[in-house]
Amino acid sequence: MTNATAPAPAIWDPPAAVRVRGALAVVAGAGESVRVYERFGRRLAVDGYTVAAFEAPAAADASAWLAAQVHAPRVLVGSDRGAAAVLALAAGGAPVDGVIVAGVPVGSADDAQAGDAERTACPVHLGVLGEAAAHAVAAAPAIDVPDVAALGRVRIPVLAIHGGADAIAPFSAARDALAALPEVELVETVGGLHDALNDASHRSVAATIVLWLERLRAGGVQTPIVREIVR
């Protein structure tokens, strides 16, 4: 059922000359509209992934949209409260192939009230956050990160990206909470802040995501496609 209080998703398709390699459904963070993920969606689309962004109250709609996509892998992506929402969906058995979370809301600070400078050091993203269009239409639900037992039920690969200098949700707290996941790859953005998908390291984060997606697409994130040879 479509959430009547949330707007339609924003969708970015790969260019016509690029073969579709999978689909991502992004669930926005607290107070964010889909505008916040335009840069992220466009960048992943260029690499062949169809990306749709949903406001946090429409997390169930994101899962339903993803299930209807023809091309696999089908991956849920969430930032901040959106990260808690997609982890809950995965723990509940959502029919997806993987999950990507960023800025998991594990700190004591109220993420919905955080200042923009606590969220990102990227000047372009700061400009986006200052736009009226960046603010959500509907209030984000107060979603907690699933407990240890629930996270233990997530049987699909998870890529977690978290800022090493995140003052809203400290990296150490995120690491401890995510340790309950059976298959998780935790990536730290060195000196990074809370909006890990849109911080100053957004290019490197997008590249990390594409590499992970390509491994997932090839049949397993544990099997490398490229690797460094130490001499």
Side-chain angles (χ1 to χ4, degrees):
M1 180 178 295
T2 300
N3 191 310
T5 63
I11 298 177
W12 298 276
D13 291 310
V18 177
R19 182 163 61 94
V20 180
R21 302 179 69 77
L24 281 66
V26 181
V27 180
E32 295 178 339
S33 77
V34 298
R35 163 72 177 111
V36 173
Y37 295 91
E38 182 174 350
R39 178 173 65 182
F40 177 81
R42 290 185 184 279
R43 177 168 286 142
L44 272 291
V46 168
D47 271 304
Y49 293 90
T50 299
V51 181
F54 299 75
E55 287 191 10
D61 293 352
S63 180
W65 176 87
L66 202 57
Q69 299 308 299
V70 173
H71 299 283
R74 303 170 185 85
V75 177
L76 279 169
V77 183
S79 178
D80 188 72
R81 292 190 192 178
V86 300
L87 286 171
L89 288 167
V96 298
D97 302 307
V99 170
I100 299 171
V101 292
V104 176
V106 292
S108 58
D110 183 354
D111 48 278
Q113 301 301 320
D116 292 350
E118 293 180 282
R119 296 178 56 179
T120 183
C122 173
V124 173
H125 188 50
L126 283 169
V128 171
L129 293 177
E131 298 176 5
H135 300 287
V137 172
I143 301 172
D144 293 325
V145 176
D147 61 23
V148 169
L151 290 177
R153 294 195 295 271
V154 177
R155 298 298 176 183
I156 54 178
V158 177
L159 173 64
I161 303 168
H162 208 92
D166 188 342
I168 299 170
F171 180 86
S172 59
R175 180 187 57 210
D176 292 346
L178 295 168
L181 289 164
E183 189 173 1
V184 60
E185 186 173 323
L186 176 59
V187 175
E188 175 188 1
T189 59
V190 179
L193 302 182
H194 188 62
D195 287 10
L197 300 181
N198 282 305
D199 200 9
S201 57
H202 60 90
R203 292 178 181 83
S204 295
V205 167
T208 298
I209 288 173
V210 169
L211 289 170
W212 185 85
L213 288 170
E214 290 297 303
R215 283 187 278 132
L216 180 65
R217 187 175 179 275
V221 295
Q222 300 302 327
T223 303
I225 296 174
V226 296
R227 60 188 172 192
E228 180 182 359
I229 303 300
V230 179
R231 298 179 62 183

